Amino acid sequence: MDISIVLEWENALLSELGRTRQMIVSVFRQVATRPEQFELLILFNSNQVSEEFIRDFIDRTISSFGLEPMDPIRFHDALDAHYFELKNEGTKLAEGRKILFVDSDIIPQDGWLDKIMEAHASCPGDLVSGLSHIGSDSFLERAFSVNWFFPFPDDNKNLNQVSIIHSNNFMVDRVIMLKFPYPKMPEGMTRGSDLFLWKQLQQNGIRLFVHQGARATHPIPNGWSHFFNRGLAEGRDQYVAITQTESHPGNWMPLFLRSYGGLLKKVFRNTFKKRKQAHIPIWEVPLVIGTMVFYYHLFLVGGLMTKVVPKVAKESWQI
């Protein structure tokens, strides 16, 4: 087996299944053009979704769009596991020499797979990621596209070495991930294990690359409930992450407030600087700024609650 595509089925529950359908269509069509042997390994938690539902969804998508099936397609119930744990389970079960991690809510664009594979062939001992970005079809997408943690795409389509990548689409030799799995997160955190992993990998001489031309769109928070919970969770996770890397407790809150202030500055700077590229009309500018300032106020509340009532914060906003 050449390549194992490891697909988590948690994000599909948070986003719209229409996105997952588009992801499957895009991945299957791009795989069909490659000479390598691929397997698809789908990791799920049966407390969240049943294997029967996923199988039926995959089969109907293959049939409806006339896709060439991947062989084999394997399903594994990692009971009680979540996002990063699902990926770790996929690493253990994968049979390919290389693993291509793909999230169930991204939509790869044309040429994505070819670019990642060609880039990884030039640096097989490293990690190569595609560029995740937000679309600009709706108002909220335009607001998040220039002000969230995903980079706004520009004309650069080169392979660039970076210090951080996103976990939603990247290729790596399986032996590397077996040696360096995603670490267990501090209690209460739901996102951020990859930040600890990237640091560990680079300390061991393994480089991170992003192919700016291998692009995939990522969804914004799906609905207002997800919007609120995601903002609060980001603040909590940022505060917890600071407590893990800063030894002096007296610095925790000042560092958190500094990161909050930096996010607010980014909203004003990026909204005006990247307005035209993101197709934000001038009349939307105050609405974009207001929406994202409110979102980062949720970030602030999440961090403050983690400081004041850590037990409540760590048990809440599990997304």
Side-chain angles (χ1 to χ4, degrees):
M1 184 65 62
D2 297 314
I3 298 160
S4 296
I5 298 177
V6 172
L7 175 67
E8 57 75 37
W9 202 274
E10 182 169 74
N11 283 359
L13 307 176
L14 297 173
S15 65
E16 297 175 354
L17 280 174
R19 290 192 62 89
T20 304
R21 184 175 293 108
Q22 292 181 67
M23 177 275 299
I24 293 168
V25 171
S26 178
V27 170
F28 273 60
R29 285 178 174 168
Q30 293 188 50
V31 165
T33 68
R34 300 289 308 186
E36 296 85 1
Q37 184 181 8
F38 287 80
E39 70 164 347
L40 177 60
L41 180 56
I42 300 174
L43 285 301
F44 66 98
N45 174 356
S46 58
N47 284 334
Q48 297 176 320
V49 62
S50 70
E51 179 177 336
E52 291 74 21
F53 176 86
I54 302 172
R55 281 184 181 274
D56 182 65
F57 186 87
I58 297 286
D59 290 344
R60 284 189 289 109
T61 301
I62 290 173
S63 175
S64 298
F65 289 87
L67 304 175
E68 182 178 327
M70 251 183 272
D71 185 24
I73 299 177
R74 295 191 286 140
F75 301 82
H76 178 72
D77 179 7
L79 189 63
D80 294 330
H82 294 285
Y83 184 74
F84 293 115
E85 297 163 328
L86 293 173
K87 292 177 182 289
N88 281 341
E89 284 297 309
T91 298
K92 297 174 187 176
L93 296 168
E95 296 181 355
R97 292 182 297 105
K98 297 182 180 183
I99 294 178
L100 177 59
F101 288 100
V102 180
D103 278 9
S104 54
D105 61 351
I106 68 160
I107 303 175
Q109 299 175 356
D110 291 345
W112 163 84
L113 180 59
D114 287 343
K115 291 182 175 70
I116 287 182
M117 292 197 62
E118 290 165 9
H120 192 260
S122 68
C123 47
D126 301 308
L127 276 65
V128 174
S129 168
L131 178 73
S132 305
H133 66 97
I134 308 296
S136 58
D137 293 336
S138 69
F139 164 74
L140 276 180
E141 284 178 318
R142 290 190 288 276
F144 274 89
S145 69
V146 296
N147 291 309
W148 212 14
F149 51 80
F150 291 101
F152 187 82
D154 54 26
D155 295 332
N156 178 7
K157 295 188 177 181
N158 300 320
L159 181 67
N160 300 126
Q161 186 173 349
V162 295
S163 60
I164 293 174
I165 63 173
H166 295 293
S167 287
N168 54 36
N169 74 116
F170 72 91
M171 178 168 281
V172 60
D173 276 7
R174 179 172 176 259
V175 292
I176 292 177
M177 293 303 293
L178 285 173
K179 185 176 181 180
F180 300 104
Y182 286 101
K184 185 177 180 180
M185 288 184 291
E187 182 186 1
M189 286 183 68
T190 54
R191 289 291 187 268
S193 174
D194 47 0
L195 298 179
F196 298 109
L197 175 59
W198 307 150
K199 183 177 181 180
Q200 183 184 23
L201 290 173
Q202 290 170 95
Q203 289 172 342
N204 284 273
I206 298 169
R207 299 174 297 175
L208 311 179
F209 291 91
V210 170
H211 197 307
Q212 305 285 336
R215 297 185 175 180
T217 61
H218 188 281
I220 58 173
N222 184 22
W224 289 108
S225 175
H226 192 194
F227 178 96
F228 276 82
N229 285 326
R230 183 77 191 225
L232 292 164
E234 282 186 32
R236 175 202 59 209
D237 291 352
Q238 176 68 10
Y239 184 82
V240 173
I242 289 171
T243 67
Q244 300 299 305
T245 56
E246 169 57 46
S247 59
H248 196 286
N251 292 334
W252 293 350
M253 186 51 66
L255 287 170
F256 174 75
L257 293 175
R258 187 182 304 169
S259 66
Y260 162 71
L263 291 169
L264 291 186
K265 290 179 182 178
K266 175 183 174 181
V267 168
F268 288 91
R269 181 181 66 248
N270 284 4
T271 301
F272 285 101
K273 183 179 180 181
K274 300 178 179 179
R275 177 181 71 82
K276 292 183 179 179
Q277 298 98 304
H279 308 293
I280 299 173
I282 190 66
W283 63 268
E284 275 189 1
V285 167
L287 299 175
V288 167
I289 292 174
T291 298
M292 296 311 298
V293 166
F294 178 70
Y295 182 81
Y296 287 122
H297 273 69
L298 293 173
F299 173 96
L300 174 65
V301 171
L304 293 176
M305 286 189 66
T306 308
K307 166 70 173 178
V308 177
V309 282
K311 188 175 188 298
V312 173
K314 291 175 181 180
E315 293 175 353
S316 305
W317 323 314
Q318 295 297 308
I319 61 171

